[in-house]
Amino acid sequence: MEMKNLTGGENLQTIAELDCSEEFTGEVHGELVFLSVINTFLSITAFLGNTLILVAHRKATSIHPSSKLLYRNLAITDLCVGIIAEPLSVAYWISVVNERRVICYYTNLTAYFAGATLCSVSLITMTAISVDRLLALLLGLRYRQVVTLKRTRLIAIGGWIVSVVGASTSFLNPLINSLYGYIIIAFCLVTTICAYTKIFMSLRHNQIHVQNHVIQGQSSQVNTLNIARYRKAAYGALWVQVTLFICYLPYGIAVALTPQRGMPLSTYLARGFTGTLVYLNSSLNPFLYCWKITEVRQAVKETLQQLHFCT
């Protein structure tokens, strides 16, 4: 199996030149065509699904504005995957097959930059959602005063800025880019695990408290209903988080196992297929929203009914 001469010190431009060389990719044209077809389909589903979610979110008035903003930000990120990152990846693979070296070079660069930026935004946004759910539990009535729409918007904008800057380092120094990736992944993973651990420990404590005491009065009944609603929302966010982790993990393993010197075609293809799994996450999220978030599911039904009526 042919090896690509790849070292840890090479910048993204050099790697893009190697990715477009006929000597390296000439044996895998069939696989690249298959990846192109799959990603074209996923691009369409990501575009349609997340566009529907963004429209439906405007009707879901019962969701707290800050939480809605974070989910909208995630849907926008997934929408950008469908209309930017995946088409660029398809253009790269098709240019390799057709031996269009100039197009291949620039689509490879832009596809990597777009993919790295959007994946980073997704990780940061999902981490923010987990912290938002934790604050909703811990702060109680003070949640709406502390977690304001303005502060949430600043966090969302900050996530985009950090992600763009982090992805841009790949053009300058790949070591800094790798360090950025390790820091972001570690921070998001640790923060999310701690947040959901605290959430479900608190819910477990509340459940034991309810079981050990006879609940009487209207206020206690309302509190019980609020906890049940919160638990459902927390599980919905957790499902989205776990799905993202499952889709991202294989690509992370493929990148981690890439040798510093000499990358075989099998590893090159593994990164292509696992990268497609990352893109799949953007098509799955709209289904998860409809499945696990009652307000979004109802809003999607109303939107589809209006579209049906119009047609």
Side-chain angles (χ1 to χ4, degrees), residues 151-167:
R151 292 173 179 172
T152 307
R153 188 179 290 112
L154 290 175
I155 292 175
I157 295 174
W160 279 93
I161 294 174
V162 169
S163 299
V164 170
V165 172

Side-chain angles (χ1 to χ4, degrees), residues 7 17 28 103 116 125 152 172 197 203 225 253-254 276 286 289 308:
T7 63
E17 292 175 356
V28 292
I103 298 177
T125 303
T152 307
L172 304 174
T197 300
L203 289 177
L225 292 175
I253 295 175
T276 299
Y289 301 150
H308 177 72

Side-chain angles (χ1 to χ4, degrees), residues 285-298:
N285 279 340
F287 294 99
L288 292 175
Y289 301 150
C290 295
W291 179 30
K292 289 297 180 179
I293 305 178
T294 305
E295 295 86 350
V296 174
R297 180 170 63 251
Q298 183 61 35

Side-chain angles (χ1 to χ4, degrees), residues 33 104 114 166 173 201 262 286:
V33 171
C104 176
N173 191 318
M201 286 180 61

Side-chain angles (χ1 to χ4, degrees), residues 232-249:
K232 189 174 183 179
Y235 273 109
L238 181 60
W239 267 95
V240 177
Q241 183 78 52
V242 171
T243 303
L244 181 143
F245 176 76
I246 293 175
C247 291
Y248 280 42
L249 180 61

Side-chain angles (χ1 to χ4, degrees), residues 113 116-125 156-169 177 180 184:
F113 176 78
T117 299
L118 295 174
C119 288
S120 179
V121 174
S122 295
L123 286 171
I124 294 173
T125 303
I157 295 174
W160 279 93
I161 294 174
V162 169
S163 299
V164 170
V165 172
S168 299
T169 59
N177 182 253
Y180 162 80
I184 285 295

